[in-house]
C-alpha cells in the first residue's frame, strides 16, 4: 500500500518536473546559450527570423517562442521582463497555440496579449492590451511614455476570470506604469505562453502561482484517494 502510494506520487512529480523543466521556482531566465526545446517550441517566420539565447532570449523579425506544456489558467499570472528594439513590436501572448510551429501565434484560434512598440523617431514606447485570433485583434492602448530605446519593462497578464483579464506594465524598479482590465469573449481558461517580437530581448518569464506542480499534486492525491477507496471496497466484497 505504502509502496504503491509513493510510486504514484513520484510518478506525478516526475511529469510535473518535465512539464516545468526550464522554470525554476516558477521562473525562466534563459540562462546560458542553449535553448530548452523540451520546454519551448519555436516558430521561425522567414529567412531573416531568428531566436537565439545568451543569458536572455533574442527574438528577431517576427519569430515566436511558445511553451509546449506549461499553461496559465484562471487566477494565475504571467510576467515577462523584456527590452524592445527600435521601431519594433513585441507581444506577450496567452494563446491556444492551435497553430503549433506551423504559423505565427497571432494566427492561433484565440489569444490575449500585452504589447509594446517603440517609435524610434518619437522616442516613445506605447503599450496595448488585446484579445484576438486568426490574424485579427481588438483592444485598447494602455498608455505611452517618452524614453530612450533599450529600456526594460515588466509586462504582466493576470487571468481574473473566464471573461476578464488584467494587464499591467511595470518599470524596471517594479513600479506600475499602466494598468487596465479587458473583458474577454470565448477565450479558453488555460492558455500557453508565447513570446513574439520584431527585435527584442526577453530576460525572464515568471508564472504565479506555479500551475503545473500544484495541478499535478492534486491529480496525484485524487488518484491515491481513488486507489484507497477501491481497495477498501474490494476488501469488503
Amino acid at each position: 500500500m505504502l509502496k504503491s502510494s509513493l510510486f504514484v506520487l513520484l510518478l506525478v512529480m516526475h511529469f510535473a518536473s518535465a512539464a516545468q523543466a526550464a522554470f525554476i521556482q516558477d521562473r525562466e531566465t534563459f540562462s546560458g546559450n542553449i535553448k530548452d526545446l523540451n520546454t519551448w517550441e519555436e516558430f521561425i517566420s522567414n529567412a531573416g527570423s531568428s531566436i537565439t539565447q545568451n543569458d536572455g532570449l533574442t527574438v528577431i523579425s517576427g519569430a515566436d517562442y511558445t511553451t509546449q506544456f506549461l499553461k496559465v489558467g484562471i487566477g494565475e499570472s504571467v510576467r515577462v521582463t523584456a527590452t524592445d528594439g527600435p521601431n519594433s513590436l513585441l507581444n506577450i501572448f496567452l494563446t491556444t497555440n492551435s497553430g503549433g510551429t506551423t504559423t505565427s501565434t497571432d494566427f492561433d484560434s484565440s489569444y490575449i496579449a500585452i504589447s509594446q512598440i517603440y517609435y524610434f523617431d518619437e522616442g516613445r514606447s506605447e503599450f496595448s492590451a488585446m484579445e484576438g485570433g486568426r490574424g485579427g485583434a481588438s483592444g485598447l492602448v494602455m498608455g505611452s511614455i517618452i524614453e530612450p530605446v533599450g529600456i526594460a519593462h515588466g509586462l504582466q497578464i493576470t487571468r481574473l476570470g473566464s471573461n476578464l483579464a488584467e494587464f499591467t506594465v511595470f518599470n524596471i524598479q517594479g513600479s506600475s506604469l499602466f494598468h487596465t482590465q479587458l473583458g474577454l469573449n470565448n477565450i479558453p481558461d488555460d492558455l500557453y505562453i508565447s513570446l513574439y517580437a520584431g527585435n527584442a530581448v526577453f530576460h525572464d518569464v515568471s508564472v504565479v502561482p506555479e500551475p503545473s506542480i500544484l495541478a499535478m499534486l492534486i491529480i496525484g492525491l485524487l488518484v491515491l484517494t481513488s486507489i484507497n477507496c477501491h481497495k477498501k471496497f474490494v476488501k469488503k466484497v
Side-chain angles (χ1 to χ4, degrees):
M1 167 60 189
L2 180 60
K3 288 183 178 179
S4 63
S5 298
L6 288 173
F7 174 76
V8 171
L9 282 176
L10 287 172
L11 194 62
V12 166
M13 291 303 296
H14 168 76
F15 284 110
S17 298
Q20 196 82 346
F23 285 77
I24 300 172
Q25 295 183 340
D26 315 337
R27 189 164 176 256
E28 160 73 277
T29 59
F30 304 113
S31 59
N33 57 12
I34 299 175
K35 292 179 288 186
D36 182 1
L37 296 180
N38 292 317
T39 301
W40 300 84
E41 63 185 28
E42 56 186 5
F43 169 73
I44 306 300
S45 59
N46 56 66
S49 299
S50 66
I51 299 175
T52 57
Q53 181 172 316
N54 187 10
D55 293 331
L57 191 79
T58 301
V59 180
I60 300 292
S61 190
D64 60 55
Y65 207 54
T66 305
T67 54
Q68 294 192 45
F69 307 105
L70 183 65
K71 295 182 181 181
V72 175
I74 304 303
E76 297 167 353
S77 300
V78 59
R79 180 166 172 171
V80 178
T81 306
T83 303
D84 203 8
N87 299 317
S88 171
L89 171 71
L90 73 81
N91 286 329
I92 313 302
F93 288 100
L94 291 180
T95 178
T96 57
N97 196 29
S98 60
T101 58
T102 64
T103 187
S104 177
T105 299
D106 57 348
F107 284 91
D108 286 344
S109 58
S110 296
Y111 65 77
I112 56 178
I114 185 169
S115 72
Q116 176 187 358
I117 185 167
Y118 187 83
Y119 297 99
F120 186 75
D121 291 342
E122 302 174 27
R124 177 174 66 92
S125 288
E126 182 177 279
F127 302 90
S128 300
M130 303 177 293
E131 72 164 310
R134 306 194 188 283
S138 62
L140 52 87
V141 175
M142 300 171 64
S144 63
I145 186 172
I146 301 298
E147 61 184 7
V149 68
I151 300 297
H153 297 90
L155 306 175
Q156 179 171 300
I157 305 174
T158 302
R159 299 296 308 275
L160 297 177
S162 295
N163 59 356
L164 187 65
E166 184 175 78
F167 303 81
T168 310
V169 179
F170 298 91
N171 63 19
I172 198 62
Q173 290 77 32
S175 299
S176 175
L177 298 175
F178 305 107
H179 175 84
T180 193
Q181 293 182 356
L182 192 67
L184 309 176
N185 297 299
N186 300 317
I187 300 292
D189 287 349
D190 298 308
L191 298 169
Y192 298 93
I193 302 166
S194 186
L195 312 176
Y196 167 96
N199 178 15
V201 178
F202 296 93
H203 305 287
D204 58 64
V205 180
S206 300
V207 178
V208 179
E210 184 177 9
S212 296
I213 291 180
L214 178 61
M216 289 291 188
L217 286 175
I218 291 172
I219 292 170
L221 290 172
L222 289 174
V223 170
L224 287 176
T225 301
S226 176
I227 291 171
N228 290 336
C229 290
H230 176 71
K231 287 184 175 180
K232 287 178 182 178
F233 176 76
V234 170
K235 285 180 180 179
K236 286 181 180 180
V237 173

